[in-house]
Amino acid sequence: YQRRVHGAHRNQKNIKHMRTKTLLLTAALSAAGVAASMAQVYSVNVVGYVNITVPAGKLMILANPLNNGANGIDAVLPLPESGDSAIVYRFDPVGQTFRDAISFFGGVGWLSGTDPNPTLVPGEGFFIQAPNGTALNLTFVGEVPQGNLSYPLAGNGRLTLVGSMVPQENYVGDSTQAGSMLFPAADGDNIYVWDIAGQTYKDAYGYFDGIGWLSSFDESGKGPLLSVGQGFWIQKNVTSPAVNWTRTFNVQQLTWQKKKLPLIHISEPPRPERNSYAVLCLKKK
């Protein structure tokens, strides 16, 4: 009888061990299947936001730093009713003139007289003017653009209003300056940056082969240091054809800079004077 009891006890233990092994094996196989499926389906998309303040009644040059789907202006720049009378000015690099202004109406949204669906895509620079007496607290929301990015630049001495295609504070640089924005600079190019404090343009940056970007106040060769969401003018030299500003970017390169970019109360933003005297003086040196 005792042998039968011990034998039955061993059989129960064996059955329990077998069940345990079966459960562990099933769990291992299930985990392997889940891991395999997860290895094939993953995402490195990064969604974020950038805050920028435009002082009351002032102009500022910005560029959309994030991808918000179709990038319609109502989605890119959603304003409260207090933003009534805010204005956005976009530049046409083909016609070399400002497009019709886009005005914000409280309770309605952004309206343009000629464009029923205005957009602000990453890399496109634009002027924005806050209403008198009301600062604009802007929040750009969307995905960080990644992969092979490209934005067209007008050639042959023409102007383009542009900005970084990613939310990154960095020097403009050139294609040889690792760690910069790798701008496709050529001898004779000019960059014009808006001076927030003076509400006018700073002295131009001129590009010189073998030296880099130079201005009357900056001889580092790296060009302007652009804040997140900051736009600027580029004028390619008169012999340069139209080119694309291309970058290969991923989130590992990203350094978030939560900067508030504080920026003339005029009917239309000023375009920079071409071939400025400051650049000509630098070239003589």
Side-chain angles (χ1 to χ4, degrees):
Y1 174 77
Q2 288 181 348
R3 289 180 181 176
R4 287 199 300 269
V5 170
H6 288 308
H9 184 64
R10 282 198 300 270
N11 287 339
Q12 289 178 355
K13 290 180 69 176
N14 288 337
I15 292 171
K16 287 182 180 179
H17 285 311
M18 290 178 64
R19 286 178 177 172
T20 302
K21 289 180 179 179
T22 302
L23 289 172
L24 290 173
L25 179 60
T26 302
L29 291 173
S30 299
V34 171
S37 64
M38 288 177 67
Q40 296 173 9
V41 181
Y42 62 93
S43 173
V44 293
N45 291 348
V46 174
V47 177
Y49 67 94
V50 176
N51 291 328
I52 298 175
T53 297
V54 185
K58 302 301 183 180
L59 277 170
M60 192 170 176
I61 302 181
L62 299 180
N64 178 13
L66 298 169
N67 190 359
N68 191 319
N71 293 302
I73 191 170
D74 285 305
V76 174
L77 296 176
L79 297 183
E81 291 197 12
S82 59
D84 188 85
S85 300
I87 304 175
V88 162
Y89 303 91
R90 297 177 300 167
F91 188 73
D92 178 13
V94 177
Q96 290 292 283
T97 185
F98 281 98
R99 301 173 183 175
D100 286 347
I102 308 171
S103 301
F104 184 79
F105 298 89
V108 178
W110 292 97
L111 295 178
S112 166
T114 56
D115 188 347
N117 298 297
T119 60
L120 295 170
V121 300
E124 178 182 3
F126 59 92
F127 272 95
I128 185 167
Q129 182 177 16
N132 288 327
T134 304
L136 293 179
N137 296 311
L138 307 178
T139 298
F140 294 90
V141 179
E143 288 188 358
V144 177
Q146 297 184 77
N148 297 319
L149 311 175
S150 181
Y151 193 85
L153 306 174
N156 305 113
R158 294 183 297 171
L159 292 161
T160 304
L161 195 52
V162 69
S164 173
M165 294 171 279
V166 296
Q168 182 186 43
E169 182 180 77
N170 206 346
Y171 290 95
V172 171
D174 62 30
S175 59
T176 69
Q177 296 180 10
S180 72
M181 291 186 180
L182 302 176
F183 190 84
D187 191 74
D189 289 353
N190 295 322
I191 281 179
Y192 305 91
V193 177
W194 185 254
D195 178 20
I196 300 171
Q199 289 291 282
T200 186
Y201 290 104
K202 299 179 180 181
D203 286 345
Y205 281 86
Y207 187 81
F208 304 91
D209 283 342
I211 300 176
W213 295 101
L214 298 178
S215 74
S216 62
F217 58 91
D218 181 3
E219 297 182 357
S220 68
K222 297 183 291 185
L225 175 64
L226 299 179
S227 300
V228 176
Q230 182 180 358
F232 65 98
W233 293 94
I234 175 65
Q235 179 190 15
K236 298 297 290 180
N237 70 63
V238 294
T239 61
S240 175
V243 297
N244 289 326
W245 182 5
T246 59
R247 296 186 66 186
T248 300
F249 191 83
N250 58 64
V251 292
Q252 283 74 27
Q253 299 169 266
L254 182 63
T255 300
W256 285 98
Q257 300 289 339
K258 294 181 180 179
K259 286 183 176 280
K260 293 182 178 180
L261 309 177
L263 273 163
I264 189 155
H265 186 134
I266 53 176
S267 59
E268 184 178 273
R271 280 179 291 175
E273 295 294 332
R274 304 183 185 189
N275 298 323
S276 72
Y277 178 73
V279 173
L280 293 176
C281 287
L282 285 168
K283 197 164 187 177
K284 289 180 181 179
K285 294 180 181 179

